[in-house]
Amino acid sequence: MLSGRRLDLLDPTPVDIEIEDIAHGLAFVARWNGQTEGDFPYSVAEHSLLVEALFSRMYPNATPAQQLTALLHDAPEYVIGDMISPVKAAVGPEYKELDKRLEAAIHIRFGLPALCPVTLKKRIKKADMVSAYMEATQIAGFTEAEAKKFFGRPDDALMQGLDIHLRPPVEARHAFTARHAELLEQLP
């Protein structure tokens, strides 16, 4: 990693996890396999910020730890990349196991439970689907009907004021680390 840490992908440990490495990696990983409009790819860092903002709107009583979990929901992708769902399915259960081990190490590193509770995971997934709808219709060329078919149609009020604006990776990285720091400060 750029921090100088050596991360064993098969046996990751929390001491080898640094937020700067996560933010840097996610800022350079393109969502939608890079098939989006704009001068910059839409990064997983940007997506993660949007999912956390949506999650916080959907669940206004969420704790800072739950919000942090939402922000870090795709954090393992900083080293394993973002694969579209059909490719993940084709790769098989090994990908899911790798993702779970990385997620557990990341969660422990930042004071979260190693395993995300099922209820919280489902809530984050709901916010993730709203994000996917927004991304699909705003930057990935989907019609509203196509996006609704794949992701459902979210309430307009939920998305109000959360337009997607592509920015350079350095800006996405800084926004991600800043939000992470804000949430860490709020943890008990």
Side-chain angles (χ1 to χ4, degrees):
M1 302 292 113
L2 285 176
S3 65
R5 299 279 188 195
R6 299 291 181 245
L7 182 65
D8 181 347
L9 289 178
L10 300 178
D11 187 24
T13 62
V15 296
D16 294 324
I17 307 292
E18 295 294 340
I19 193 60
E20 291 80 10
D21 293 332
I22 293 171
H24 181 81
L26 295 182
F28 282 94
V29 174
R31 295 262 303 158
W32 302 91
N33 285 335
Q35 299 300 308
T36 55
E37 300 170 359
D39 294 331
F40 300 100
Y42 183 65
S43 72
V44 175
E46 293 281 10
H47 164 76
S48 297
L49 288 161
L50 179 58
V51 168
E52 189 270 323
L54 288 162
F55 174 83
S56 295
R57 282 185 177 193
M58 294 167 79
Y59 306 100
N61 295 325
T63 66
Q66 291 169 331
Q67 291 171 298
L68 182 58
T69 304
L71 180 68
L72 296 172
H73 80 283
D74 279 340
E77 294 179 9
Y78 87 105
V79 289
I80 59 176
D82 180 35
M83 283 194 232
I84 57 175
S85 295
V87 174
K88 286 180 187 177
V91 171
E94 292 83 9
Y95 177 87
K96 192 172 208 155
E97 284 304 312
L98 177 62
D99 185 74
K100 282 172 58 176
R101 284 194 300 272
L102 280 165
E103 182 179 76
I106 291 165
H107 283 187
I108 292 168
R109 169 65 174 90
F110 299 113
L112 302 170
L115 296 175
C116 182
V118 174
T119 303
L120 178 56
K121 194 171 259 313
K122 286 180 180 178
R123 288 179 173 182
I124 293 168
K125 187 63 180 173
K126 285 182 182 179
D128 197 24
M129 293 299 279
V130 175
S131 175
Y133 177 89
M134 292 176 67
E135 295 164 16
T137 57
Q138 291 183 31
I139 59 171
F142 283 56
T143 65
E144 287 190 18
E146 290 170 324
K148 181 180 176 184
K149 177 181 165 188
F150 291 107
F151 311 112
R153 176 69 169 101
D155 180 11
D156 286 330
L158 183 61
M159 301 180 290
Q160 190 172 7
L162 292 176
D163 294 328
I164 295 171
H165 301 283
L166 304 180
R167 51 187 164 173
V170 66
E171 291 179 23
R173 182 179 73 219
H174 290 308
F176 187 91
T177 54
R179 183 61 181 149
H180 180 265
E182 288 171 11
L183 291 169
L184 275 185
E185 286 178 14
Q186 296 174 36
L187 292 179

